Amino acid sequence: MGKKIDERIPQNSGEGANFKNYYGIRSPWNKIYSYQEALHYASRFESVLSAATIQALRIIVPDYEERAQMMCEEAFERLYTTGKYYGDDDGFGIHPFMCGQYAGALIGDKGDDALLMCGRCQDFGTYRAEKELDVCDWDICGSELCRTTTMSLQGQAKASAERRRKGPEIDYMMVEAKGCGDRHCRIIAESREKYPALPHKLWESFGPAVTDDMKKYTEEKDCIDESMMFREECNYHFVNGTNNETDSSNQMINMSTGASLYILPAIAETVKRGYVTRHQADHILKCVLEAAGKAMFGERYAIKACRDWLGVPSSFGEDARVMGALIEMLLQSLVCEYDVESFNKDEVVLIIERSGLEITATKDMPEIHLWMWQGMVKTLVNAQWSLWEEKSPERKMRIKIAKKIDKFM
């Protein structure tokens, strides 16, 4: 019987050899990628996962207005409720003398940069704030998510305002959205006392704004593609309008995605409201995510690109190690703890800490990753191979990749 785990160079190889230490991720075949590349990889994968997840929500709630309103209601109430007790004012640079919902702009600004959604504040006044984004990996999810993120910010702004003395109430509007095909995402927040406007439904959180003529538009040639924490001109630090400063440890990519923050909680809300049962919701999610996973490597060139990225030896054929290695790279990028029980040409077994794939907003993230991976293995390797959960210890997810014949798959 062969070895259960193929030989791989230890993570601490070179320790004591006077080489510099670098932060990053490493494949089983010693391909190393930097911290910056790891964050971008994880961000894009989780955005693709989010794009598939919102397709399931569109099946459950076909009507756009109904779906968008429900998503906005759920996100607003949840972020407002949690925000009342969050109170990390120092962490966002919210000074004690600030008042009203204006301070919510500081929360959104820091969160954008941490999630690699880079751009700039174009206005930062008492009665008006404007933020312009050049990059958003979530833009592939669609416009109802753009509306929802805006209303989650509105909820946080309301909660933030209630923790301090009374001040201006601010209406947050997304007047441009990359998810709609615009060049930028642009949020304009306005005091309705100073800039009156007709009331609107919660889901109608798009513009135009009253102060549209005050917009400051950045031409494409002047746009950026990295957050402040990865730019020399910013001394590799995020710094906001109130001089709140953090380095690259500011990143929040660990599962803070459209799926985890907004879409899966919205699907849970459809179960609460009686659109579907939990079993029906999971069935729809599984079907959509498996199909999305298969589509990722449906073209042969995608398989080659993935193998090259992982550093898979040319002598390796189609076996479990290719899929197992790709999952390992994602888990490392997400700072999710895991153990390798088996890693050879016949099978791969990984034991994953469920908490590393969960966030407060939803506990469903491990399952949607599992369903996506189940589809991916069929095209990245071939249809003889399957991926499933088996004999999981408590609070862990034990996944196995091996050949499997299933007449009812």
Side-chain angles (χ1 to χ4, degrees), residues 22 34 43 47 74 152 187 218 290 296 299 315 362 365 402:
Y22 297 96
S34 71
S43 176
S47 297
E74 190 282 329
S152 75
I187 285 186
T218 302
E290 282 188 356
M296 286 187 74
E299 299 292 347
S315 60
T362 179
M365 289 300 280

Side-chain angles (χ1 to χ4, degrees), residues 275-290:
Y275 286 90
V276 287
T277 65
R278 185 70 254 182
H279 176 75
Q280 290 168 330
D282 287 345
H283 174 70
I284 294 168
L285 276 166
K286 185 175 188 293
C287 291
V288 171
L289 286 158
E290 282 188 356

Side-chain angles (χ1 to χ4, degrees), residues 13 145 153 169 188 258 285 315 319 353 382 388 407:
S13 176
L145 181 60
L153 180 57
E169 292 191 4
I188 294 179
L285 276 166
S315 60
D319 68 51
E353 291 286 344
N382 68 44
W388 65 96
K407 302 297 186 183

Side-chain angles (χ1 to χ4, degrees), residues 232-290:
E232 183 182 19
E233 64 183 358
C234 304
N235 194 30
Y236 304 107
H237 280 67
F238 167 79
V239 184
N240 71 3
T242 56
N243 208 34
N244 174 253
E245 185 173 333
T246 58
D247 58 19
S248 56
S249 63
N250 176 44
Q251 68 86 16
M252 295 160 40
I253 206 63
N254 300 3
M255 304 318 303
S256 294
T257 69
S260 61
L261 290 177
Y262 305 110
I263 305 168
L264 286 174
I267 290 176
E269 184 69 14
T270 68
V271 175
K272 284 173 59 178
R273 297 189 185 193
Y275 286 90
V276 287
T277 65
R278 185 70 254 182
H279 176 75
Q280 290 168 330
D282 287 345
H283 174 70
I284 294 168
L285 276 166
K286 185 175 188 293
C287 291
V288 171
L289 286 158
E290 282 188 356

Side-chain angles (χ1 to χ4, degrees), residues 204-232:
E204 295 174 319
S205 51
F206 280 6
V210 175
T211 59
D212 260 7
D213 59 340
M214 297 170 62
K215 286 192 305 187
K216 299 177 182 67
Y217 186 87
T218 302
E219 296 297 331
E220 187 163 2
K221 63 183 177 61
D222 298 318
C223 291
I224 55 175
D225 57 11
E226 287 289 0
S227 296
M228 294 172 73
M229 59 184 168
F230 292 132
R231 283 156 49 206
E232 183 182 19

